[in-house]
Amino acid sequence: AIIDEIKNRIGIGLDLTGDLIVHGQSVHKRLLALEAGGNNNPLIDKWINGIPTVIAGGDSLTQGAGASSNSYPKQLSELLGRPVVNVGVGGQTSQQIATRQGGYVNLLTVANNTIPASGGVAVTASTQGPITNQGGNNMPGTLFGVPGKLSATFDGSGNRTSLIFTRDTTGAATVIDPATPFVPDTGDNEFGINVLWYGRNNFWTGRTDFAAAKAEVKAALA
């Protein structure tokens, strides 16, 4: 067994039959229970087998023209005969899309370093910008474990004028550290078949440092 040297607590070990014991439970028995209940428990089955839905992430090349046939996810759904969820947002870079998908961590600093008991609080600094004037607004997620939504406002030129975190329900005011991770709630998207098609907007008109653009796209995919 692996034992805590201070309090002699067993973190992980083998029992007399050779079963692996973690947190006081036999991993072998847990696996048998999962296998036996997989077909009858949608939550467990989702973790073991995933879901058949395709999640299409990207920019306008994915978003298409609404629900028209110009959208490749719509055509893909018809070809595959399975649901394809279109989460494309026009104009976004690979970094912004990866942040909405959950691959990049968006670190937020809020006014007075406090999530108020109710309502919204201004975000004074963020490391990523997943919300743009073309979409991604009212992004659900959690900040320091507090469920809420991240939203933004924009001026007539498409420049962001505010970023706000609004908690879902009233609770105790919570002091948080600067640069606290905002964890997006993507529903069941991570269990689906993810198609990520982006990078076009990293090569904007007038950009000349193509090596840097390529590195951005590869990093976002990773």
Side-chain angles (χ1 to χ4, degrees):
I2 299 175
I3 301 176
D4 182 330
E5 64 179 6
I6 298 176
K7 294 188 176 181
N8 249 12
R9 295 171 298 189
I10 297 177
I12 186 172
L14 299 173
D15 67 11
L16 295 178
T17 65
D19 281 347
L20 179 66
I21 307 298
V22 178
H23 289 297
Q25 298 189 43
S26 164
V27 172
H28 177 65
K29 291 178 181 178
R30 291 286 292 167
L31 288 173
L32 289 178
L34 286 173
E35 291 171 356
N39 293 331
N40 301 317
N41 189 326
L43 180 62
I44 294 175
D45 187 63
K46 178 175 62 178
W47 280 92
I48 295 176
N49 301 313
I51 59 176
T53 302
V54 176
I55 312 300
D59 48 38
S60 61
L61 297 174
T62 296
Q63 184 182 27
S68 75
S69 60
N70 291 330
S71 161
Y72 96 75
K74 182 176 184 296
Q75 297 185 43
L76 185 61
S77 178
E78 294 171 355
L79 290 169
L80 296 178
R82 66 172 68 195
V84 177
V85 178
N86 189 336
V87 293
V89 173
Q92 291 200 338
T93 64
S94 60
Q95 301 97 307
Q96 292 168 326
I97 297 163
T99 304
R100 288 193 293 110
Q101 180 266 349
Y104 272 157
V105 178
N106 193 8
L107 303 178
L108 306 184
T109 300
V110 300
N112 299 318
N113 294 323
T114 302
I115 301 174
S118 63
V121 60
V123 176
T124 57
S126 63
T127 57
Q128 301 291 342
I131 301 174
T132 61
N133 65 328
Q134 293 190 49
N137 220 337
N138 294 316
M139 178 184 296
T142 57
L143 184 63
F144 200 69
V146 178
K149 291 181 177 62
L150 195 61
S151 59
T153 58
F154 301 88
D155 61 21
S157 300
N159 300 308
R160 194 178 75 191
T161 55
S162 70
L163 186 62
I164 299 170
F165 175 76
T166 304
R167 64 188 302 159
D168 288 338
T169 58
T170 300
T174 305
V175 177
I176 65 174
D177 289 329
T180 292
F182 174 80
V183 181
D185 179 4
T186 58
D188 285 342
N189 286 1
E190 61 265 40
F191 298 103
I193 303 166
N194 280 261
V195 178
L196 303 173
W197 180 7
Y198 53 63
R200 170 66 185 87
N201 293 314
N202 290 78
F203 294 82
W204 56 77
T205 301
R207 185 168 194 180
T208 56
D209 52 343
F210 294 152
K214 287 191 292 183
E216 291 168 358
V217 177
K218 289 180 178 180
L221 283 170

